[in-house]
Amino acid sequence: DQQVKQNSPSLSVQEGRISILNCDYTNSMFDYFLWYKKYPAEGPTFLISISSIKDKNEDGRFTVFLNKSAKHLSLHIVPSQPGDSAVYFCAASAWASKLTFGTGTRLQVTL
Amino acid sequence: GAGVSQSPSNKVTEKGKDVELRCDPISGHTALYWYRQSLGQGLEFLIYFQGNSAPDKSGLPSDRFSAERTGGSVSTLTIQRTQQEDSAVYLCASSPDARTDQETQYFGPGTRLLVL
């Protein structure tokens, strides 16, 4: 039972363009959503989060959008840079509990 | 230290042996979490601690797995009689207080366990 889904295993974007990574969830109890970035042989690095009471949160080149009615969130990276190439995980929690992760999307930013 | 640290970074063991993995959380963080990532899989929750107690052990795959935390700081994850399917990256994370809603978890670099 996959409660958090990232349906695109990979994405390739040209440098300077927008990267859009998507995530869907099924558990309506989730109230906090996070995006992590992971390089090979390293632990996940926190990128950005959003509370369920908001629909948008922005931090520099990163913006997360939450559509509660559709149980969908997305991460926008603008402009994309080669250093953004990594695996991106969407995660969700319900009242300060364990994180439930998606299976990740591998982003490749090409020159 | 500035971040979550884990040791060893890599561990190769023989099937049937016991292993201990260690996690040092960020100083002052009262919540500590263990996850693992098997090859080709997402991150899977194992257990979390609030202080020295473990309110949620629901992710531990079998009774061969146990964890403890002492002094509200360092935690060890023990796997007894290791099996090949235990091979994975074991990740530790900490957050300021699991009782506070919407706390961000910060991860360590992980321990790569290979059971031969």
Side-chain angles (χ1 to χ4, degrees), chain A:
Chain A
D1 177 25
Q2 193 80 29
Q3 295 188 56
V4 178
K5 300 178 185 177
Q6 292 176 257
N7 292 318
S8 298
S10 64
L11 175 67
S12 183
V13 172
Q14 208 167 21
E15 182 182 12
R17 301 286 190 116
I18 183 171
S19 295
I20 300 177
L21 296 99
N22 293 303
C23 179
D24 297 290
Y25 62 96
T26 56
N27 188 343
S28 57
M29 298 300 291
F30 288 146
D31 62 357
Y32 190 50
F33 304 89
L34 309 92
W35 284 94
Y36 287 85
K37 173 181 178 180
K38 188 178 184 302
Y39 293 116
E42 293 184 12
T45 302
F46 169 71
L47 268 179
I48 192 168
S49 62
I50 188 166
S51 163
S52 59
I53 63 172
K54 296 185 175 180
D55 55 18
K56 176 182 175 181
N57 188 26
E58 190 172 351
D59 183 2
R61 297 187 297 114
F62 302 91
T63 303
V64 56
F65 295 92
L66 175 63
N67 182 334
K68 283 182 62 179
S69 60
K71 293 191 175 68
H72 177 84
L73 66 155
S74 60
L75 174 68
H76 292 208
I77 307 173
V78 182
S80 301
Q81 299 173 354
D84 296 331
S85 297
V87 178
Y88 288 78
F89 288 95
C90 167
S93 71
W95 185 249
S97 66
K98 63 188 180 186
L99 291 176
T100 301
F101 283 85
T103 51
T105 297
R106 182 177 301 279
L107 174 66
Q108 180 73 39
V109 179
T110 59
L111 297 172

Side-chain angles (χ1 to χ4, degrees), chain B residues 10-70:
Chain B
N10 293 281
K11 176 72 177 178
V12 181
T13 190
E14 293 179 349
K15 177 181 171 181
K17 296 283 181 72
D18 297 352
V19 295
E20 267 193 8
L21 312 180
R22 176 188 167 107
C23 172
D24 280 273
I26 292 172
S27 178
H29 281 193
T30 60
L32 185 148
Y33 304 78
W34 284 98
Y35 296 84
R36 75 174 176 181
Q37 184 177 21
S38 304
L39 190 63
Q41 304 293 316
L43 283 84
E44 171 192 18
F45 167 79
L46 297 177
I47 185 172
Y48 99 86
F49 291 89
Q50 176 61 39
N52 292 334
S53 63
D56 189 353
K57 308 178 183 180
S58 63
L60 294 177
S62 76
D63 58 8
R64 296 185 296 104
F65 287 73
S66 63
E68 65 174 15
R69 190 180 186 196
T70 55

